Every structure is written in structure tokens, then in C-alpha cells.
Amino acid sequence: MRSLRLGSWIFHHRLSSAESLSKVLSKPFASIMIWFLIGIALAFPIGGGLLFKNVATLTNKVTYHPSLTVFLDEGVSEEKGRQITEVITKFDDIEDVEFLTADAALIELGNEIGFQDLLFELETNPIPATLFLTLDSHLSFKDTEELRFKLLAIPEVFNVIVDHAWLERLKAFLAIGYKIVLLITISLGLASVFVISNMVRMAIESRREEIVVIKLVGGSNAFIRRPFLYIGLWYGFGGGILASIQLALAEFFLSSQIRFLFVSYEIDFVFASLGAIEAVNIAILGGLLGIIGAWGAAIRHVPLIEP
Amino acid sequence: MIKLEHVVKRYSGERDALKRVSLVIDKSEMVFVTGHSGAGKSTLLRLIMILERPTRGRIAVNDIDLKFIGSKEIAEYRRQIGMIFQDHRLLFDRSVLDNVLLPLTILGTDRREAHRRARAALDKVHLLRRERAMPLELSAGEQQRVGIARAVVTRPSILLADEPTGNLDPDLSREVMLLFDEFNRAGVTVVVVSHNLSLISQLDHRIIFLKEGSLI
Ligand SMILES: Nc1ncnc2c1ncn2[C@@H]1O[C@H](COP(=O)(O)OP(=O)(O)O)[C@@H](O)[C@H]1O
Ligand SMILES: [Mg+2]
């Protein structure tokens, strides 16, 4: 008996989903509008996310000429400092290492910032022995970070400062960009849910008579809601598929140009792109948004229709 | 068993549609309810179906006080009652067979069994050969018979019919009443509203007279 019930329950779901799909397809114009809207609502944040992912990998790949300053621990002797200089000179990518004793570093700093007099007033030298590194090649951000850690691993090294202010600025900019994309994502997601909710509400209104009849013969609110949830599912799912298509098209047209740009700058770069699994996930995400929207409408409006 | 105790129903306005109506319809009994238009006949059925709630008084069906049936349980309650409407209340975008299948789909009856029972019900009202037709292709009388098939397909213990022969010619009207009589003989409690006194007096069942909301 139980399995019979389950079988018929599954059957009713199949029936509801098929009927709802044919209802959605029977209004092609409205449905295509909704699919486009949801498609854009999904494609925008996902596209934005992909773009940021690409920019983030790019910042690791773009090479530049960083200057590194290595501060040694306080009290490291000049002898030891010169030994370390020897070691570092043998590192890859290092063209030149300039060693400054603590006193020399203080003078250098004084010259640079113009407070010589003030600095000489100090009783103890606050500046440790310092090494200025010149690199012989352009390094990527990631390579530079690796070099930094390698230097930090030397016991006498107190700190390593990499001058990449522009990169820091770019990262700050990216962080803001992420937040903006997130905000727009939430807005568009809510808009999609709202639009689907509204479509389902209208579908419920237009089938008021039918709902009354079903209630007269003992249909529960849950039973009546079912096909409307499927309508939401199909709107959302279709929108998700369209989003995947939009993203694939955008990628197709953009990536070749971007690649061309990078090749001209001799940057080896693989565009992070949308795979089949992501496309399926986007469609599922769209379907979920659709069900949420439909649920919101059905839970409120189906009980209001009374025989 | 259907039991009304001092039931008052007032919609809006001054007049009561039902005025302290007390009435018992036994299990497996068949009764006719008659009276002029506006006497409260439909209101009586709507109260039993919980399409309306009484303003005062108590209604019990199969020993369950209807005031204890909350909005969540109404659907389940209605499934044990088959109701036939004067305006048929069919779904016009579904075939005759699908209309009759609807209550079984709601019940979750196995599909093959549901089809078998829907066809049997259609056969009973002589409409099996029209199972693929759409309701609007049918005459008023045929539509009414689809409504009857839909009402009995779940084998409810109670059958309510509101002016079921309103649109039918005399021969067909008589046939429909005999059909109800047959269901009654199978043990179903049947309440038929009709103002066709000459027709209902031909059948040997109790007749309840309503006048301006009161029993007479
Ligand atoms: N939904 C309603 N709102 C207000 N008045 C109603 C409503 N339904 C019925 N009535 C009134 O209640 C009285 C009884 O109606 P009804 O039960 O339909 O009578 P009958 O079926 O015997 O013709 C009538 O006066 C009618 O106008
Ligand atoms: Mg009436």
C-alpha cells in the first residue's frame, strides 16, 4: 500500500512537472522574457566572479621589478651581515645585494627623509643592518612572495619588505569590486525571485476557477501548490540555462581578444572559464531560485482562494 | 450520519439564510431537500461541506463536530463526501476521464487502479465512450453526469447533490435520480436538493421542506 502511494505520488510529480512545463512553453514570449531576465541576473554575478578570478590570477602572473629591503636582527655583526650577503647573492634572480651596516643604514635613511640632525640626536640606533636587493629579472607577485619567504627563513633576518604598492592598490580595488559584485548579485537574485514569485502569483490567479474545483473535491493546499512550484522551477531552470549560454558566448568573444592582448605583452595566461559542471550548477541554482520564488507566491495565495 | 442542532446561518444583511434548523439524516439514508429559490437549500449543503461555517448551532458528520475541523483538515474531510453541483464545476481544459480521475489523484490512488475505477464510474453514467472528449463538447446533461461520476469515483460515504437535474430533460432527470437511489442502496448516505416535487415524490424517500430558512 505504501509503495503504491509512493508510486502515485511520484506519478503526480511527473504529471505536475510535465503539465507545468507545457504551461510555461505555451506562453513563449513571457517565458523567454523571464528566462532572459533570470539569465542576466545569474550571468552577471557569475561572469563578474569569473572576471575577478581571472584578474586575481593575473596579478600573480604579471611580472614587475620589485625592490626588496631585508632588515637583519638587531645586533647582527658586520661580519655576519657580509656572510649573509654572500649567501643571498647566490640566490636565483638576484643581480646585486647592497649591504649597509646599522650606522650606514641610519645615514642612508636620514638622507632619504631629511632628518639627519634629528636622527643623530638619538642615543641608540633604531635601524638594524640592512640589505638592498636588486633582482636580475622581472618576477611575478607569487615568485616575489616565494623569494620573501626564502629570505625570512634565514635566522638573522628580522623582516623583508617588498615594495609593491601598486599591487596592494590593485588588491584593495579588487576587494571593493568583490563587494560591489556581491551586492549586485544579491539584488539581482532577489529581483529574480520576486519576478518569478509574481509570475506564479499571476498563474495562480488565472487558474482560480480550477483551484476552487480542486478544493471542492478535497485537494489540499499542498496538492494545489505542486504544479505552481514546478512552474517556478522551469522559469528558474530555463533562466539558468540561458545564463550559461550568455556566459559561454561572452567568454567566446572576450577571451580571444584578451588572449591577443596578453600575447602582445608576452604574458602566458589561461583564461579561467566556465565548464560543463559549472553550467549545470548554474541551471540548478536558477531552478532553486525559481522554486523559492514560486513557494513564496504559492504559500500565500493558494490558501486565499476558497470555494 | 448528518446531524444539525439549532443551526443558524446569516451571511451579511438582516435575514438569516437558515433559522435554527435541527435535523438528523441517518447513515445510509436518502433524503430530498426541497423548497423555493432562496429557501436555504444550497446553504444547507454548503454548511455540511464546510464551504460555509454556521453562525450559530452545531453540525456533526459521522459523529465529528465540524467546528473541530480546522482549515488544515478541511481538504481531508471533504474527500469522504462526494458533491454534485448544479453548475457541474468541471475542469474545462481536461478530458472527461481526467476530470473523473482528479479525486483519485488527490487521494494518491495507484494509477492503474484509478483508471479502472474512473472508467467504471463513467460506465455507470453511460459516458465511457466519451472519456476522451473535453467537457465543452458535451451537452449539459452529459456534463452533469461527468460531475456525478467524479463525485462517486472515490466511493464516498456521503453524497450531496445540489439541483442535479436542473438542466436535464424529464427522462434523464429520472434516470439520474434512480442512479442516486442505486448508490443509496449500496449504503451511501444521499442528500439531494431539488425543487422538482413531482419527480422526487415518485421515489420513496423522506422529503425535507425548507421555507425561508426554516423546516416545515
Ligand atoms: N454568499 C452569500 N452571501 C450573501 N447571501 C447569500 C449568499 N449565499 C446565499 N445567500 C442568501 O441566503 C439565502 C439562501 O440562499 P440559498 O441557500 O442559495 O437558497 P436556495 O439554494 O434554496 O435557493 C438567500 O436569501 C440568498 O440570497
Ligand atoms: Mg440553491
Side-chain angles (χ1 to χ4, degrees):
Chain A
M1 188 63 196
R2 206 184 168 78
S3 69
L4 277 184
R5 281 283 161 92
L6 184 66
S8 74
W9 185 80
I10 291 167
F11 173 70
H12 185 241
H13 270 273
R14 272 182 25 212
L15 194 72
S16 302
S17 64
E19 278 181 357
S20 300
L21 184 59
S22 76
K23 286 231 160 65
V24 166
L25 295 177
S26 73
K27 293 202 188 85
F29 188 71
S31 298
I32 286 170
M33 293 282 283
I34 289 175
W35 286 335
F36 257 100
L37 187 94
I38 294 159
I40 290 166
L42 287 173
F44 177 82
I46 294 164
L50 271 179
L51 198 69
F52 275 106
K53 199 166 145 197
N54 281 310
V55 173
T57 31
L58 202 60
T59 57
N60 287 334
K61 292 231 174 180
V62 167
T63 61
Y64 63 112
H65 214 150
S67 63
L68 276 80
T69 310
V70 178
F71 296 108
L72 300 183
D73 285 332
E74 216 179 311
V76 172
S77 66
E78 189 176 337
E79 171 76 24
K80 186 73 191 167
R82 295 208 182 277
Q83 277 176 23
I84 293 167
T85 306
E86 286 296 302
V87 172
I88 292 176
T89 311
K90 291 191 188 101
F91 279 12
D92 290 341
D93 307 319
I94 306 284
E95 186 176 282
D96 185 41
V97 181
E98 189 191 347
F99 174 69
L100 294 177
T101 61
D103 291 344
L106 185 65
I107 293 166
E108 181 87 356
L109 182 71
N111 282 338
E112 215 162 90
I113 62 177
F115 286 118
Q116 299 101 313
D117 300 341
L118 191 71
L119 288 172
F120 285 119
E121 295 288 311
L122 296 168
E123 281 186 9
T124 52
N125 181 359
I127 310 288
T130 305
L131 291 87
F132 290 112
L133 274 57
T134 312
L135 307 183
D136 66 356
S137 65
H138 292 259
L139 283 190
S140 72
F141 176 72
K142 210 167 134 224
D143 293 339
T144 312
E145 282 297 299
E146 272 168 23
L147 178 59
R148 181 169 175 262
F149 284 117
K150 209 163 136 193
L151 291 167
L152 279 171
I154 300 170
E156 289 80 6
V157 169
F158 168 66
N159 199 5
V160 179
I161 289 176
V162 184
D163 172 32
H164 43 222
W166 70 274
L167 211 66
E168 298 300 332
R169 274 198 294 275
L170 179 63
K171 295 211 151 173
F173 170 75
L174 281 179
I176 294 169
Y178 264 125
K179 281 193 184 129
I180 293 172
V181 168
L182 191 71
L183 211 70
I184 297 175
T185 301
I186 292 169
S187 313
L188 288 175
L190 285 177
S192 314
V193 169
F194 181 77
V195 165
I196 291 174
S197 180
N198 209 46
M199 281 305 286
V200 170
R201 184 185 59 78
M202 291 193 317
I204 290 171
E205 286 305 322
S206 74
R207 291 167 73 181
R208 177 174 279 274
E209 301 258 302
E210 183 177 345
I211 291 170
V212 165
V213 170
I214 295 172
K215 287 197 173 184
L216 283 174
V217 297
S220 63
N221 285 324
F223 179 87
I224 294 164
R225 273 199 298 269
R226 204 168 293 157
F228 294 106
L229 298 185
Y230 275 105
I231 288 183
L233 172 71
W234 294 127
Y235 280 141
F237 192 71
I241 290 173
L242 213 65
S244 295
I245 294 171
Q246 285 170 5
L247 286 170
L249 285 177
E251 188 190 316
F252 177 77
F253 288 115
L254 286 179
S255 69
S256 58
Q257 286 178 336
I258 290 175
R259 213 167 282 141
F260 178 75
L261 189 75
F262 288 152
V263 167
S264 67
Y265 280 92
E266 295 183 342
I267 296 167
D268 166 38
F269 179 61
V270 182
F271 204 75
S273 63
L274 199 71
I277 293 174
E278 279 93 342
V280 171
N281 283 342
I282 292 169
I284 290 172
L285 182 69
L288 272 177
L289 286 181
I291 291 177
I292 291 170
W295 181 264
I299 204 89
R300 273 180 299 141
H301 294 284
V302 169
L304 293 181
I305 298 177
E306 288 195 16
Chain B
M1 189 178 73
I2 301 168
K3 190 170 180 185
L4 283 79
E5 282 174 14
H6 313 303
V7 170
V8 175
K9 177 63 189 175
R10 172 175 289 188
Y11 291 101
S12 47
E14 301 289 283
R15 253 181 29 123
D16 290 339
L18 288 179
K19 298 168 185 160
R20 287 179 67 82
V21 171
S22 295
L23 162 72
V24 175
I25 299 165
D26 279 325
K27 188 176 176 332
S28 303
E29 192 189 352
M30 177 160 170
V31 299
F32 291 110
V33 180
T34 192
H36 291 298
S37 174
K41 306 183 292 296
S42 297
T43 300
L44 180 68
L45 296 191
R46 290 179 64 80
L47 285 169
I48 296 169
M49 201 62 180
I50 323 186
L51 295 167
E52 303 288 349
R53 296 281 191 175
T55 311
R56 269 197 299 280
R58 202 178 77 97
I59 304 174
V61 173
N62 294 339
D63 293 324
I64 295 165
D65 190 333
L66 296 194
K67 81 162 173 253
F68 294 123
I69 295 180
S71 55
K72 286 220 163 61
E73 291 102 33
I74 288 182
E76 202 180 335
Y77 167 79
R78 283 183 191 145
R79 284 175 214 153
Q80 52 175 335
I81 303 177
M83 183 149 178
I84 294 141
F85 306 87
Q86 185 172 7
D87 53 354
H88 323 317
R89 299 297 189 109
L90 302 179
L91 298 177
F92 291 107
D93 62 348
R94 298 196 200 184
S95 71
V96 164
L97 182 65
D98 284 341
N99 266 280
V100 179
L101 278 170
L102 178 63
L104 298 169
T105 311
I106 290 168
L107 281 179
T109 310
D110 169 64
R111 190 158 35 124
R112 208 167 301 149
E113 170 71 4
H115 272 78
R116 196 187 62 69
R117 280 164 65 173
R119 289 216 172 83
L122 279 171
D123 195 27
K124 198 123 207 99
V125 296
H126 310 299
L127 276 178
L128 191 51
R129 60 195 173 79
R130 309 295 322 258
E131 63 172 339
R132 296 272 151 236
M134 299 305 276
L136 288 175
E137 298 164 20
L138 304 181
S139 69
E142 286 172 321
Q143 288 183 25
Q144 187 61 283
R145 274 142 63 203
V146 175
I148 294 170
R150 184 184 65 187
V152 300
V153 74
T154 56
R155 297 175 194 148
S157 63
I158 297 171
L159 205 55
L160 309 176
D162 196 353
E163 311 271 10
T165 60
N167 300 309
L168 307 185
D169 62 50
D171 281 351
L172 221 48
S173 297
R174 203 182 138 70
E175 196 179 320
V176 165
M177 288 301 183
L178 288 173
L179 203 57
F180 289 137
D181 189 60
E182 197 183 321
F183 291 128
N184 173 244
R185 256 178 263 165
V188 181
T189 310
V190 182
V191 183
V192 181
V193 166
S194 174
H195 54 243
N196 191 341
L197 206 52
S198 63
L199 175 64
I200 62 179
S201 49
Q202 288 171 26
L203 286 122
D204 187 23
H205 293 294
R206 178 154 67 108
I207 301 175
I208 294 166
F209 290 91
L210 268 177
K211 190 178 181 200
E212 290 171 7
S214 299
L215 294 181
I216 52 171

